[in-house]
Amino acid sequence: SGGVRPTSLTVRKNIVYVLNAGDPGNITAFTLYKLGKLTPLANSTRFLSNNGSGAAPAPAQVSFTPDGRYLVVTERASNLIDLYKVDKNGLAVGPTSFTSSGATPFGFAFGNGILIVSEAFGGAANGSAVSSYRIQGDQLQLLSGSVATGQTAACWIITSKDGRYGYSTNAGSASLSGYRVENDGKITLLNGRAGETGAGTGPTDAAVSHNGRWAYVLSPRSQTVVAFQIQADGSLLSAGSFGGLQTGPAGIAAW
Protein backbone atom coordinates (compact mmCIF):
# COMPACT_ATOMS: atom_id res chain seq x y z
CA SER A 1 0.00 0.00 0.00
CA GLY A 2 3.02 2.29 0.05
CA GLY A 3 2.92 2.63 3.82
CA VAL A 4 1.71 1.07 7.07
CA ARG A 5 -1.88 0.28 8.09
CA PRO A 6 -3.93 1.22 5.00
CA THR A 7 -7.22 2.47 6.40
CA SER A 8 -9.15 4.28 3.65
CA LEU A 9 -9.16 4.50 -0.14
CA THR A 10 -10.81 6.49 -2.90
CA VAL A 11 -11.23 5.86 -6.64
CA ARG A 12 -11.56 8.34 -9.49
CA LYS A 13 -11.61 6.91 -13.02
CA ASN A 14 -8.42 4.81 -13.17
CA ILE A 15 -6.65 6.32 -10.15
CA VAL A 16 -6.83 4.84 -6.63
CA TYR A 17 -5.45 6.69 -3.60
CA VAL A 18 -4.81 4.85 -0.34
CA LEU A 19 -4.47 6.49 3.07
CA ASN A 20 -1.81 4.82 5.23
CA ALA A 21 -2.51 5.57 8.89
CA GLY A 22 0.59 4.00 10.45
CA ASP A 23 3.60 6.14 11.37
CA PRO A 24 4.41 8.57 9.85
CA GLY A 25 1.34 8.44 7.60
CA ASN A 26 0.89 9.18 3.88
CA ILE A 27 -1.28 8.90 0.81
CA THR A 28 -0.12 6.78 -2.15
CA ALA A 29 -1.66 6.31 -5.61
CA PHE A 30 -2.17 3.33 -7.89
CA THR A 31 -3.29 2.94 -11.48
CA LEU A 32 -6.37 0.72 -11.81
CA TYR A 33 -6.61 -1.37 -14.97
CA LYS A 34 -9.77 -2.80 -16.56
CA LEU A 35 -9.31 -6.31 -15.18
CA GLY A 36 -8.74 -4.99 -11.66
CA LYS A 37 -4.94 -4.99 -11.59
CA LEU A 38 -3.30 -2.29 -9.45
CA THR A 39 0.09 -0.82 -10.26
CA PRO A 40 1.83 1.77 -8.03
CA LEU A 41 1.85 5.24 -9.58
CA ALA A 42 5.44 6.47 -9.56
CA ASN A 43 6.30 9.41 -7.31
CA SER A 44 2.75 9.60 -5.94
CA THR A 45 3.42 9.25 -2.20
CA ARG A 46 2.64 12.42 -0.26
CA PHE A 47 3.00 13.07 3.45
CA LEU A 48 0.31 14.41 5.74
CA SER A 49 0.51 17.61 7.81
CA ASN A 50 3.49 16.26 9.80
CA ASN A 51 5.63 16.21 6.65
CA GLY A 52 6.63 12.61 7.32
CA SER A 53 8.12 13.25 10.75
CA GLY A 54 7.19 11.37 13.93
CA ALA A 55 3.87 9.76 14.72
CA ALA A 56 1.03 9.83 12.24
CA PRO A 57 -1.68 12.42 13.09
CA ALA A 58 -4.39 9.70 13.28
CA PRO A 59 -5.72 10.18 9.74
CA ALA A 60 -9.21 8.79 9.24
CA GLN A 61 -10.36 9.12 5.62
CA VAL A 62 -9.20 10.08 2.13
CA SER A 63 -11.52 10.96 -0.76
CA PHE A 64 -11.54 12.69 -4.11
CA THR A 65 -13.83 15.67 -4.43
CA PRO A 66 -16.75 15.06 -6.84
CA ASP A 67 -14.96 16.90 -9.67
CA GLY A 68 -11.71 14.99 -9.05
CA ARG A 69 -9.65 18.17 -8.72
CA TYR A 70 -8.74 17.65 -5.06
CA LEU A 71 -8.13 15.03 -2.41
CA VAL A 72 -9.30 15.57 1.17
CA VAL A 73 -7.87 13.88 4.29
CA THR A 74 -9.09 14.27 7.87
CA GLU A 75 -6.60 14.12 10.78
CA ARG A 76 -8.13 13.29 14.15
CA ALA A 77 -5.10 13.91 16.37
CA SER A 78 -4.14 17.28 14.89
CA ASN A 79 -7.71 18.56 14.29
CA LEU A 80 -6.73 19.37 10.72
CA ILE A 81 -8.28 18.83 7.29
CA ASP A 82 -5.74 18.38 4.50
CA LEU A 83 -6.39 19.51 0.94
CA TYR A 84 -4.31 18.23 -2.00
CA LYS A 85 -4.62 19.47 -5.56
CA VAL A 86 -4.58 16.69 -8.18
CA ASP A 87 -2.87 17.28 -11.54
CA LYS A 88 -3.83 15.82 -14.92
CA ASN A 89 -1.57 12.80 -14.32
CA GLY A 90 -3.29 11.94 -11.04
CA LEU A 91 -0.43 13.20 -8.86
CA ALA A 92 -1.33 15.09 -5.70
CA VAL A 93 0.28 18.40 -4.74
CA GLY A 94 0.29 19.49 -1.11
CA PRO A 95 -1.13 19.29 1.41
CA THR A 96 -2.49 22.61 2.51
CA SER A 97 -3.88 22.03 6.01
CA PHE A 98 -6.85 23.81 7.57
CA THR A 99 -8.03 23.80 11.17
CA SER A 100 -11.25 21.87 11.65
CA SER A 101 -14.23 23.76 13.06
CA GLY A 102 -14.56 21.14 15.80
CA ALA A 103 -12.35 18.58 17.51
CA THR A 104 -11.54 15.16 16.08
CA PRO A 105 -12.62 15.55 12.44
CA PHE A 106 -13.35 12.01 11.33
CA GLY A 107 -15.47 10.92 8.35
CA PHE A 108 -16.79 13.09 5.55
CA ALA A 109 -18.92 13.03 2.42
CA PHE A 110 -20.09 15.45 -0.26
CA GLY A 111 -23.63 16.75 -0.69
CA ASN A 112 -24.45 19.27 -3.44
CA GLY A 113 -20.70 19.72 -3.85
CA ILE A 114 -20.35 20.69 -0.19
CA LEU A 115 -17.88 18.94 2.13
CA ILE A 116 -19.69 17.63 5.22
CA VAL A 117 -17.45 16.45 8.09
CA SER A 118 -18.24 14.56 11.28
CA GLU A 119 -16.53 15.67 14.50
CA ALA A 120 -16.19 13.08 17.26
CA PHE A 121 -14.92 15.57 19.88
CA GLY A 122 -12.72 12.90 21.41
CA GLY A 123 -15.71 10.71 22.22
CA ALA A 124 -17.13 13.20 24.75
CA ALA A 125 -20.61 12.15 25.87
CA ASN A 126 -23.26 13.72 23.62
CA GLY A 127 -20.58 16.12 22.40
CA SER A 128 -20.16 15.32 18.70
CA ALA A 129 -21.07 17.57 15.79
CA VAL A 130 -21.06 18.00 12.02
CA SER A 131 -19.66 20.90 9.96
CA SER A 132 -19.86 21.93 6.31
CA TYR A 133 -17.29 23.57 4.02
CA ARG A 134 -16.96 24.80 0.46
CA ILE A 135 -13.72 24.28 -1.48
CA GLN A 136 -13.03 27.53 -3.24
CA GLY A 137 -9.80 28.75 -4.79
CA ASP A 138 -7.72 25.97 -3.21
CA GLN A 139 -9.10 26.99 0.19
CA LEU A 140 -11.64 25.56 2.62
CA GLN A 141 -14.43 28.01 3.41
CA LEU A 142 -16.40 27.20 6.57
CA LEU A 143 -20.15 27.35 6.02
CA SER A 144 -21.64 25.72 9.14
CA GLY A 145 -19.44 25.25 12.18
CA SER A 146 -20.00 22.32 14.56
CA VAL A 147 -23.75 21.80 14.40
CA ALA A 148 -24.30 19.48 17.37
CA THR A 149 -25.68 15.98 16.96
CA GLY A 150 -26.54 15.65 20.67
CA GLN A 151 -24.97 12.18 20.35
CA THR A 152 -21.64 10.54 21.16
CA ALA A 153 -18.74 9.80 18.80
CA ALA A 154 -20.00 10.83 15.37
CA CYS A 155 -17.55 8.90 13.22
CA TRP A 156 -18.68 8.56 9.60
CA ILE A 157 -20.89 10.52 7.23
CA ILE A 158 -23.05 9.52 4.28
CA THR A 159 -25.20 11.71 2.04
CA SER A 160 -28.38 10.99 0.09
CA LYS A 161 -28.06 10.53 -3.66
CA ASP A 162 -29.60 13.94 -4.34
CA GLY A 163 -27.17 15.58 -1.91
CA ARG A 164 -29.93 17.19 0.14
CA TYR A 165 -29.41 15.15 3.31
CA GLY A 166 -26.47 13.92 5.38
CA TYR A 167 -26.27 11.34 8.15
CA SER A 168 -23.62 10.82 10.80
CA THR A 169 -23.15 7.41 12.40
CA ASN A 170 -22.74 7.83 16.15
CA ALA A 171 -20.68 4.94 17.48
CA GLY A 172 -21.18 5.86 21.13
CA SER A 173 -24.96 6.32 20.91
CA ALA A 174 -26.03 3.51 18.55
CA SER A 175 -27.74 6.08 16.34
CA LEU A 176 -27.66 8.11 13.14
CA SER A 177 -28.18 11.88 13.13
CA GLY A 178 -29.91 13.43 10.11
CA TYR A 179 -29.05 16.82 8.56
CA ARG A 180 -30.52 18.87 5.74
CA VAL A 181 -28.04 20.48 3.31
CA GLU A 182 -29.39 23.92 2.45
CA ASN A 183 -28.98 25.59 -0.95
CA ASP A 184 -26.22 27.80 0.43
CA GLY A 185 -24.29 24.78 1.74
CA LYS A 186 -25.14 25.32 5.38
CA ILE A 187 -26.51 22.37 7.33
CA THR A 188 -29.46 22.07 9.71
CA LEU A 189 -30.05 19.26 12.18
CA LEU A 190 -33.27 17.39 11.33
CA ASN A 191 -33.16 14.70 13.99
CA GLY A 192 -30.35 13.79 16.36
CA ARG A 193 -31.65 10.23 16.45
CA ALA A 194 -32.96 9.84 12.91
CA GLY A 195 -32.05 6.16 12.98
CA GLU A 196 -31.53 3.60 15.76
CA THR A 197 -29.10 0.71 15.25
CA GLY A 198 -29.78 -1.00 18.59
CA ALA A 199 -28.04 -1.39 21.93
CA GLY A 200 -24.47 -2.60 21.76
CA THR A 201 -24.09 -2.12 18.01
CA GLY A 202 -21.53 0.74 17.89
CA PRO A 203 -22.24 1.81 14.28
CA THR A 204 -19.23 3.00 12.30
CA ASP A 205 -19.00 3.03 8.51
CA ALA A 206 -22.05 3.35 6.25
CA ALA A 207 -22.95 3.39 2.55
CA VAL A 208 -25.86 4.38 0.31
CA SER A 209 -27.16 2.15 -2.49
CA HIS A 210 -26.66 3.27 -6.09
CA ASN A 211 -30.38 4.00 -6.51
CA GLY A 212 -30.36 6.18 -3.39
CA ARG A 213 -33.13 4.24 -1.65
CA TRP A 214 -31.18 2.42 1.05
CA ALA A 215 -28.61 3.24 3.71
CA TYR A 216 -26.54 0.39 5.12
CA VAL A 217 -24.72 0.82 8.43
CA LEU A 218 -21.89 -1.40 9.63
CA SER A 219 -22.07 -2.32 13.33
CA PRO A 220 -18.85 -4.13 14.25
CA ARG A 221 -19.67 -4.79 17.90
CA SER A 222 -22.75 -6.80 16.99
CA GLN A 223 -21.21 -8.07 13.72
CA THR A 224 -24.27 -6.89 11.81
CA VAL A 225 -25.34 -4.56 9.02
CA VAL A 226 -28.38 -2.40 9.79
CA ALA A 227 -30.54 -1.17 6.89
CA PHE A 228 -32.69 1.95 6.53
CA GLN A 229 -34.94 3.18 3.76
CA ILE A 230 -34.24 6.84 2.95
CA GLN A 231 -37.51 8.78 2.72
CA ALA A 232 -38.19 11.78 0.48
CA ASP A 233 -38.17 14.14 3.47
CA GLY A 234 -34.78 12.84 4.68
CA SER A 235 -36.18 10.69 7.47
CA LEU A 236 -35.01 7.08 7.87
CA LEU A 237 -37.28 4.04 8.06
CA SER A 238 -35.77 1.00 9.75
CA ALA A 239 -35.56 -2.05 7.49
CA GLY A 240 -34.03 -4.49 9.96
CA SER A 241 -30.55 -5.99 10.13
CA PHE A 242 -28.61 -9.07 9.15
CA GLY A 243 -25.66 -10.64 10.91
CA GLY A 244 -23.12 -13.39 10.63
CA LEU A 245 -20.16 -11.13 9.92
CA GLN A 246 -16.69 -12.15 11.02
CA THR A 247 -15.13 -10.32 13.95
CA GLY A 248 -13.49 -6.95 13.37
CA PRO A 249 -15.21 -5.67 10.21
CA ALA A 250 -13.94 -2.18 9.37
CA GLY A 251 -15.55 -0.85 6.18
CA ILE A 252 -18.58 -1.23 3.96
CA ALA A 253 -19.49 -0.53 0.32
CA ALA A 254 -22.95 -0.86 -1.21
CA TRP A 255 -24.49 -1.42 -4.64
Side-chain angles (χ1 to χ4, degrees), residues 159 161 207-216 228 230 254-255:
T159 52
K161 186 176 181 180
V208 174
S209 62
H210 72 284
N211 61 12
R213 294 180 58 194
W214 304 97
Y216 297 101
F228 297 90
I230 301 174
W255 173 252

Side-chain angles (χ1 to χ4, degrees), residues 108-129:
F108 60 89
F110 293 90
N112 289 336
I114 300 301
L115 175 65
I116 304 169
V117 183
S118 65
E119 300 164 349
F121 276 83
N126 303 323
S128 63

Side-chain angles (χ1 to χ4, degrees), residues 138-164:
D138 299 343
Q139 301 290 310
L140 275 188
Q141 176 190 1
L142 179 65
L143 300 176
S144 290
S146 298
V147 181
T149 65
Q151 307 295 299
T152 303
C155 289
W156 299 105
I157 288 277
I158 53 173
T159 52
S160 59
K161 186 176 181 180
D162 61 11
R164 296 171 56 201

Side-chain angles (χ1 to χ4, degrees), residues 3 7 24 68 88 98-99 113 115 122 133 137 151 193 203 221 223 255:
T7 193
K88 62 180 181 180
F98 301 88
T99 300
L115 175 65
Y133 303 81
Q151 307 295 299
R193 298 190 71 89
R221 294 177 192 168
Q223 297 169 248
W255 173 252

Side-chain angles (χ1 to χ4, degrees), residues 47-51 57 71-75 78-85 93-101 105 133 138-140:
F47 293 123
L48 305 176
S49 68
N50 62 355
N51 199 31
L71 285 163
V72 178
V73 173
T74 44
E75 296 184 1
S78 62
N79 296 325
L80 294 176
I81 301 173
D82 298 327
L83 190 64
Y84 301 81
K85 195 166 186 178
V93 178
T96 303
S97 298
F98 301 88
T99 300
S100 169
S101 171
Y133 303 81
D138 299 343
Q139 301 290 310
L140 275 188

